[in-house]
Structures are given as C-alpha cells and as structure tokens.
Amino acid sequence: MKAMRAIRAEISLALRAGAIAAAALLPWAASPSVAQEWRGWNIHAGDYPNGRGMDRFGELVAQRTNNRIRMRTYHSAQLGQQDEAIQQMRLGSIDFGNFNLSPFNNLAPSTNVVTLPFLFRNVAHSHAAIDGVAGEEIAKDLEAIGIIALAWYDGGARSMYTTRPVRTPADLRGMKIRVQTSDLWIDLVRALGANPTPLPFGEVFTSLQSGVIDGAENNFPSYESTRHFEVARFYSTTEHSNVPEVLAVSRQRWQRLNEAERNILRDAARESATFQRQLWAEREQVSRQRVIAGGATVIEITDRTPWSQLMEPVYAKYAATPRLAGMVQAIRALP
Ligand code: BDP
C-alpha cells in the first residue's frame, strides 16, 4: 500500500512538473493563433515624428503577423516618465518603446559615446555611425540590461535654450540648466560653467515657469512641441549633441518570439526608422518656423570652437576605456 502511494505521489509530482514546464513554454509563440497586445511607451505626442514612426511599426507588424501581434503605443508619457519606463521595459511590463539614448548612459557604457558633444559632423555622419559600428556596440550593451534595440531614430541636434540670451559659454555661467538623467550630461553642463539640474522631461515647462531652472537643451521639435519656447525665449544654436534614439523591445518579450517573428519586427522597425527620419527632417524646419512665429529669438552660433574646446574633460572621462575610445576613433574615421 505504502509503495503504491509513493508511486502515485511521484506520478502526480511528475505531472505537475510537466505542467509547469509546458506553461513556461506556452507563451503564444507555441500557439500562434493567440493574439498578443503589446504596450508601447512614447514620451511625445502622437503626431510627433517618433510617435508616427512607432504607429507605423505597429501597423507593419500587425499586417505581417496577421494581427497576432497588435501593438498599441501609449503616447504623451501616459505610461510614465523616461526612467520609470526604462525600468518597466527591463521588467517586461512595457513591451516596446522609443527612447533617447542619454537616459541609458549610466546603464550601458557605449551609449555615452554617441552622446559625446560635438562628435558628429552632420546628420549623415550620425546616421552612418549609429547604423553601423556604434549601433552594434550599443545594441550589445542594451541587450545586457534587458532591452533589444531594433532600429535607430533621428534624435536631432540639441541646443541650449534659456530665459536670458546666451551667445558664449560665459553667458551661460551660473545658469541652472535642466539635463536628462545622465552623469555625462551633468559633467557636460558643468564644463560649460553652468549648474546642471536633472529633471524628467515632463517637469521642464513648470520648472522654467517657476524659475527652478533658467534653461534646458533640446532640438527644435521638442522645444516647440512642449511649448518650452513660451517660457525660455532664447534658443542658441549650439548644436552640442546629436544623441540618437532607439526603437526597442523588452527582452522578456523578445525571448518568446521565434526567428520568423523576430525578422518581421526587425524589418518593420527599420522601415519605421526610415519613415521617422523623413518626418524628422521636415519637422525640424516646421518647428523652427513655429517658435520664431511664436516670439522666440533664435541666436545663431556660427563659431562653436569656444564651446567645443571646453569639452576635453568630458571626453577624458566618458571615452576613457580602450573600447569606448576605439568607438570614438572609428566614428571620427567614418567618411
Ligand atoms: C527629446 C527626446 C526624448 C527625451 C527628451 C528629453 O526625444 O526622448 O526624453 O528629449 O530631453 O528630444 O528628456
């Protein structure tokens, strides 16, 4: 009797273990007819080039998977500010998103390289770097923290904007300048003689309004779409950084896809990036006109040497390892 009970107990244990193993494999890749709804994070409004790129990504994936993967992008930071969204992507509670690479600086070393000031000669140079050697390294570092990079969006040239006119680094001295959460950005703004203040994107408008900060830095489309130009009226075209953006999927999700599905996602992401880059180029012009029409003053910085020559300590600190210094060299060597 005892022996029978023991055998039965063993059988039931084995069955239970089997069921658990089956459940672990179960996610929809094993049953392709089950539709999945993916949640996507976007910090910008839906009509911003990045939001439209993400929507295009979702449409292409839905078409090509016969609606098995349906992607819904939550625009305008509905799923939280950037740093929280990154954590949620890592945990798998947000499935995909478009991020600037700067908030990854403290987590993924190679993202510092493409954030470095005055590194890219122009937009084409930044695309060549991120679509090639730099992108590969960054994708590795992101994967290690649970984020799968699929394509690179244009992040635009970032410039300083302030409540008082700024023509030289001396004019910026002592001003409180908002930065993204990144040590590199803190040191960059310090090297210019200003006081860096890390804040979430969504808090910049009210912080400018209440005088908590005297300025921030961003591209024309963000300066315009957030209406920061209404409270910080002077935009100085320092164009100090062209840090790119990533369209990424949570590794948690990615691991459950089969190779055919992964290819569909990769292709759709790249196509959405081509689309975003076209929209971006147009929007930069439109936003520039809109802020001027809205009363902002654009101060053209024609000689950037006084700015770039202060950046030596930033390079010394953030491109210090042979790997990162090698990336800088490889990027500089690009035609
Ligand atoms: C915008 C980026 C966005 C960042 C924002 C910022 O597209 O991802 O969150 O800058 O400065 O240009 O926080």
Side-chain angles (χ1 to χ4, degrees):
M1 263 320 265
K2 231 183 188 172
M4 273 300 285
R5 257 209 306 266
I7 290 168
R8 247 188 265 134
E10 254 171 51
I11 292 174
S12 110
L13 254 180
L15 282 176
R16 228 182 299 153
I20 290 167
L25 290 173
L26 223 146
W28 72 282
S31 53
S33 55
V34 180
Q36 293 284 304
E37 173 134 337
W38 287 33
R39 295 185 339 135
W41 179 84
N42 174 22
I43 202 161
H44 298 287
D47 66 352
Y48 198 83
N50 305 34
R52 291 181 60 196
M54 291 182 77
D55 288 341
R56 171 67 61 92
F57 172 58
E59 283 156 26
L60 294 173
V61 170
Q63 267 167 27
R64 295 171 188 176
T65 60
N66 293 323
N67 277 326
R68 283 197 323 272
I69 305 182
R70 274 183 259 139
M71 296 188 149
R72 166 145 185 228
T73 302
Y74 292 80
H75 300 292
S76 306
Q78 285 172 68
L79 300 182
Q81 288 295 319
Q82 210 155 14
D83 292 339
E84 307 153 45
I86 289 174
Q87 287 316 317
Q88 292 196 53
M89 284 272 291
R90 298 180 69 183
L91 296 170
S93 49
I94 290 179
D95 304 303
F96 68 107
N98 160 232
F99 296 88
N100 186 268
L101 288 174
S102 293
F104 291 107
N105 287 166
N106 297 355
L107 304 168
S110 57
T111 61
N112 285 290
V113 172
V114 290
T115 309
L116 284 169
F118 305 104
L119 175 67
F120 300 118
R121 294 186 300 271
N122 49 40
V123 175
H125 185 207
S126 74
H127 288 174
I130 197 71
D131 291 338
V133 53
E136 282 160 28
E137 291 302 311
I138 292 170
K140 277 187 226 155
D141 284 3
L142 291 179
E143 180 160 5
I145 59 160
I147 296 203
I148 306 294
L150 295 183
W152 310 103
Y153 281 10
D154 205 328
R158 297 177 76 103
S159 289
M160 294 290 164
Y161 54 88
T162 43
T163 51
R164 298 190 298 276
V166 166
R167 289 183 180 81
T168 63
D171 295 335
L172 204 65
R173 197 163 297 142
M175 280 193 182
K176 284 173 274 153
I177 302 294
R178 177 268 173 173
V179 291
Q180 300 190 68
T181 319
S182 146
D183 291 345
L184 188 158
W185 275 104
I186 291 176
D187 285 328
L188 188 158
V189 164
R190 257 192 211 134
L192 292 173
N195 294 331
T197 310
L199 281 176
F201 193 46
E203 287 177 24
V204 178
F205 186 92
T206 48
S207 305
L208 284 167
Q209 217 173 20
S210 63
V212 166
I213 50 172
D214 307 304
E217 55 76 52
N218 221 312
N219 47 54
F220 271 116
S222 280
Y223 179 52
E224 176 257 312
S225 66
T226 53
R227 311 201 74 76
H228 293 173
F229 70 93
E230 291 178 354
V231 275
R233 314 288 279 172
F234 301 95
Y235 190 95
S236 310
T237 60
T238 48
E239 299 191 350
H240 49 269
S241 177
N242 273 71
V243 51
E245 311 233 336
V246 65
L247 177 63
V249 167
S250 162
R251 194 178 61 198
Q252 304 263 1
R253 273 285 186 195
W254 189 252
Q255 280 168 340
R256 298 188 228 141
L257 300 180
N258 62 38
E259 207 39 45
E261 291 151 353
R262 289 180 179 180
N263 286 335
I264 289 176
L265 263 73
R266 279 196 198 99
D267 289 346
R270 285 198 200 110
E271 286 169 47
S272 86
T274 307
F275 180 56
Q276 187 270 351
R277 288 177 185 186
Q278 280 161 7
L279 295 174
W280 185 262
E282 292 158 21
R283 180 63 181 256
E284 272 188 330
Q285 300 305 320
V286 170
S287 293
R288 188 191 167 99
Q289 286 154 12
R290 281 187 192 157
V291 300
I292 293 171
T297 301
V298 175
I299 299 171
E300 291 294 350
I301 307 291
T302 44
D303 181 11
R304 300 203 171 88
T305 324
W307 299 83
S308 60
Q309 70 191 11
L310 296 172
M311 295 296 112
E312 201 38 53
V314 182
Y315 275 74
K317 185 162 169 191
Y318 293 94
T321 65
R323 177 182 177 226
L324 303 188
M327 281 178 69
V328 171
Q329 247 176 19
I331 291 172
R332 286 203 169 127
L334 286 170

